[in-house]
Amino acid sequence: KKNGIFNIGSKNCNNFYSIAKILIKILESKSKIKLIEKKNIKKLNSLDVNINKAKKLLKWKPLVNIATGLQM
């Protein structure tokens, strides 16, 4: 069945902190990331999705990593 909900992402898990660091680099910004609460940065707002359903049913696979995708 090729309908329903599909997770689209990469095989790598990224959190908002790591994405913010990538964006600062891409934009050549001098911005600083300010954390409101002290938390384990690796776990900060991370979302790890399973893309196996999309790979199997849609014959889909990620072609670029997060940094390349954000530059596009």
Side-chain angles (χ1 to χ4, degrees), residues 18-72:
S18 65
I19 293 171
K21 285 176 34 177
I22 292 168
L23 286 171
I24 287 170
K25 184 177 180 180
I26 290 169
L27 298 172
E28 298 177 359
S29 172
K30 295 185 191 307
S31 297
K32 302 290 181 201
I33 300 170
K34 181 179 177 183
L35 300 177
I36 304 301
E37 298 175 25
K38 291 192 176 200
K39 294 183 179 182
N40 182 340
I41 290 189
K42 291 190 180 200
K43 292 183 179 180
L44 181 66
N45 298 320
S46 65
L47 178 62
D48 189 14
V49 297
N50 184 327
I51 61 173
N52 289 334
K53 181 179 175 184
K55 287 170 99 176
K56 181 180 177 184
L57 295 178
L58 302 176
K59 309 291 188 243
W60 176 87
K61 66 179 179 178
L63 299 177
V64 297
N65 62 27
I66 187 74
T68 303
L70 288 171
Q71 288 178 341
M72 298 175 114

